[in-house]
Amino acid sequence: MLTTEQPDLNTDQLWDIASSNTLSEISDIQPLLVAQLQSLQSVRSRFESLNEETKSLRSMVAELEEKSNSFGSRAKEMFRLQRDVQIKRQLYDELIERYEMAQLTGSLGLFEQNKRVKIIDLPYTPSTPSNLPIIVFIIAGLFAGIGLGIGMATLTELFDTSIRRVDQLETLTKAPVITVIPKVSPTRSN
């Protein structure tokens, strides 16, 4: 049986042969054994179960990929929320401490109220005013104004470079002046 050549039959043809009771038609090829059909059936069922398992694994992989993609944003949000909680707890603890300190100082304030202000010298009414009379300020202002005016006039005269006389022009240019343009006053029209 092992030396005989096996016919090329697919699984559908084998099932057709097994389901029909007419084995006489293919008796010249080779008879089918029940063990072969059972092994074929077990392999086929194993193949179908593996196909189903592959489909379910693919769907699970897709779900896990989707969950892993959203993990980064969730982890980031989780760390932000943990930091916010830590900051809020610290702030709350500081506020509780301040509140307790305020209660303590308030009760100490009532207890030590007479010890807070210490009088070093008793107050008194002065016998003379502490500032100078107003006439002194007026006279000082007058002298300061006159001095400032004289000083400004002297400075402007020293730094003035304009030529006003003929002898200044002759001294600067070392040449005689030939003529001078007379000053003309504007005439009034009636």
Side-chain angles (χ1 to χ4, degrees):
M1 208 169 172
L2 290 175
T3 59
T4 59
E5 188 176 318
Q6 297 293 327
D8 291 335
L9 296 173
N10 63 14
T11 56
D12 293 331
Q13 290 173 342
L14 287 175
W15 280 110
D16 288 342
I17 292 171
S19 63
S20 68
N21 291 334
T22 59
L23 292 176
S24 61
E25 298 172 1
I26 54 165
S27 60
D28 54 334
I29 301 173
Q30 180 179 353
L32 284 175
L33 298 174
V34 175
Q36 288 176 333
L37 283 177
Q38 285 177 346
S39 66
L40 176 67
Q41 187 175 7
S42 68
V43 167
R44 180 172 255 186
S45 67
R46 180 77 178 143
F47 174 75
E48 292 296 324
S49 69
L50 286 176
N51 273 345
E52 290 299 318
E53 189 175 344
T54 305
K55 287 179 186 176
S56 68
L57 285 176
R58 283 186 182 144
S59 67
M60 287 173 65
V61 164
E63 288 176 19
L64 288 175
E65 283 178 349
E66 184 179 320
K67 286 180 182 178
S68 68
N69 287 340
S70 66
F71 176 75
S73 62
R74 287 184 183 166
K76 183 179 175 183
E77 181 71 17
M78 183 89 136
F79 286 134
R80 187 186 65 77
L81 289 174
Q82 285 176 347
R83 188 182 68 234
D84 286 350
V85 164
Q86 183 181 6
I87 289 170
K88 303 268 185 199
R89 279 185 185 155
Q90 187 178 12
L91 183 64
Y92 177 74
D93 291 340
E94 288 175 4
L95 287 174
I96 288 289
E97 186 177 333
R98 281 185 184 178
Y99 177 72
E100 289 172 355
M101 290 298 287
Q103 283 183 335
L104 182 64
T105 28
S107 62
L108 281 177
L110 292 175
F111 179 70
E112 296 178 343
Q113 188 172 12
N114 57 356
K115 295 178 184 177
R116 268 192 268 166
V117 177
K118 292 184 179 181
I119 300 173
I120 297 171
D121 291 331
L122 291 174
Y124 65 92
T125 306
S127 58
T128 60
S130 60
N131 57 352
L132 298 173
I134 198 158
I135 191 73
V136 174
F137 289 110
I138 292 172
I139 292 171
L142 242 164
F143 281 118
I146 290 170
L148 188 63
I150 291 172
M152 291 296 288
T154 305
L155 284 176
T156 55
E157 196 59 39
L158 285 175
F159 292 111
D160 187 16
T161 59
S162 60
I163 301 171
R164 296 195 178 136
R165 295 186 316 250
V166 175
D167 61 330
Q168 287 177 337
L169 184 62
E170 286 175 350
T171 307
L172 284 173
T173 60
K174 295 185 176 56
V177 176
I178 300 172
T179 184
V180 177
I181 300 172
K183 215 176 212 188
V184 179
S185 60
T187 59
R188 284 192 272 169
S189 60
N190 290 345

